[in-house]
Amino acid sequence: MSITLDSYRKELLVLFKEHINLEKKEPMEQYMRNLFPFLGIKSPERKALLQDFFKKNGKPELEWIEPLVTFLYGQPEREFHYAALAMIDKQIKKMNPSHLVFLEKLIITNSWWDTVDHLAPHHVGELLLKNRNYIQDFPDRWITEENFWLQRSAILYQLKYKQKTDEEKLFFYINKTKESKEFFIQKAIGWSLREYSKTSPEQVMHFIEGTKLAPLSRREGLKHIERLQMNAGK
């Protein structure tokens, strides 16, 4: 008898709740500023549990992704949100641009850096790399949204692109948000520049020198370049 979506998600629910650790729960909640309750399952254990779960039950069907992830995101404990992202990981190669609307919804649901920073480069970025004509409907729109998690996602979706980075687009997004006082935007700008500097250090250096960035963005953006310069001077 083949497993159903209902039994699949119920089994995962039971599995995680069997591994509640009250001693680890409170420190994990404090680390995340008490924004979400936790079960107390640390990352290595959670990944091991999921690995065993997938071995037993297989990866989720593609058509299950939206209802399954919605169900997991509806649970209060943060470990279920992480599990939801792992479910998307299993099918992202087969997902298509029609899923971008759903991913946008996830970005603005239970939002914090730990989920958004996975969704943007690993999921949104994966889909847009193969479907660049949808950029105008999503990151190009997000960069002007009031929701700073959408803005952060626009800045970070190319994080893993390396030589495939649309440099003009990246710099455009940064220029649109460089005056933001929001910590998570300033940090995203610096992170994106630092990552791209591993591919094109000269272009990034030229951009930073010619752009008035927040000190945090500038400091983060220069880290890799300064390391290169330090090593060259040895």
Side-chain angles (χ1 to χ4, degrees):
M1 180 173 159
S2 60
I3 190 168
T4 65
L5 169 59
D6 188 54
S7 59
Y8 191 88
R9 62 191 184 187
K10 282 182 179 177
E11 184 163 338
L12 180 59
L13 214 64
V14 171
L15 176 65
F16 273 28
K17 290 192 174 181
E18 285 176 345
H19 289 80
I20 290 175
N21 187 319
L22 297 180
E23 289 184 5
K24 294 178 181 177
K25 169 182 165 68
E26 186 174 349
M28 292 174 74
E29 290 173 348
Q30 290 176 347
Y31 178 70
M32 286 296 174
R33 301 186 183 181
N34 294 304
L35 291 170
F36 310 97
F38 277 77
L39 296 169
I41 305 174
K42 290 243 174 181
S43 180
E45 183 185 4
R46 186 187 75 249
K47 290 177 180 178
L49 288 174
L50 281 171
Q51 186 175 14
D52 290 342
F53 176 83
F54 289 134
K55 282 182 181 178
K56 179 182 177 182
N57 300 287
K59 67 182 182 181
E61 300 292 337
L62 180 59
E63 60 267 26
W64 290 1
I65 289 298
E66 291 196 23
L68 175 59
V69 169
T70 299
F71 172 80
L72 292 173
Y73 252 62
Q75 305 307 309
E77 294 87 2
R78 196 58 163 169
E79 287 90 342
F80 291 115
H81 308 163
Y82 300 151
L85 302 185
M87 297 297 164
I88 299 174
D89 289 342
K90 290 293 182 181
Q91 287 289 2
I92 190 62
K93 298 293 184 184
K94 292 184 179 179
M95 291 170 67
N96 60 64
S98 69
H99 292 99
L100 286 166
V101 173
F102 181 63
L103 294 178
E104 178 177 340
K105 183 179 178 182
L106 293 180
I107 289 169
I108 60 175
T109 303
N110 300 323
S111 306
W112 199 238
W113 63 265
D114 53 338
T115 52
V116 171
D117 291 0
H118 190 89
L119 285 160
H122 294 284
H123 298 158
V124 173
E126 177 75 20
L127 293 183
L128 291 178
L129 184 60
K130 298 179 288 187
N131 303 276
R132 290 182 182 263
N133 54 317
Y134 284 84
I135 291 171
Q136 62 184 350
D137 298 321
F138 292 93
D140 280 358
R141 172 171 53 82
W142 294 347
I143 204 63
T144 60
E145 291 279 357
E146 291 185 7
N147 186 305
F148 66 81
W149 294 114
L150 289 174
Q151 292 183 323
R152 182 174 170 98
S153 297
I155 296 166
L156 295 180
Y157 82 90
Q158 296 191 86
L159 200 64
K160 307 297 181 184
Y161 281 16
K162 298 181 180 179
Q163 290 89 352
K164 296 179 181 178
T165 298
D166 183 336
E167 180 182 296
E168 183 179 351
K169 182 73 67 178
L170 175 62
F171 292 165
F172 172 76
Y173 290 158
I174 291 172
N175 276 316
K176 291 286 285 185
T177 53
K178 65 185 178 183
E179 296 181 4
S180 174
K181 304 301 182 185
E182 172 56 53
F183 168 83
F184 287 107
I185 295 301
Q186 293 183 6
K187 190 78 170 180
I189 289 172
W191 186 14
S192 65
L193 289 171
R194 184 175 76 247
E195 197 65 23
Y196 186 48
S197 74
K198 297 174 184 178
T199 300
S200 300
E202 291 182 3
Q203 289 91 324
V204 170
M205 188 66 189
H206 179 74
F207 176 78
I208 290 176
E209 287 180 338
T211 307
K212 188 177 180 181
L213 296 173
L216 173 60
S217 300
R218 180 182 176 85
R219 186 166 62 249
E220 290 291 324
L222 286 172
K223 279 184 176 179
H224 179 70
I225 293 172
E226 289 175 343
R227 196 175 300 120
L228 290 177
Q229 292 171 341
M230 191 186 316
N231 291 335
K234 287 183 178 180

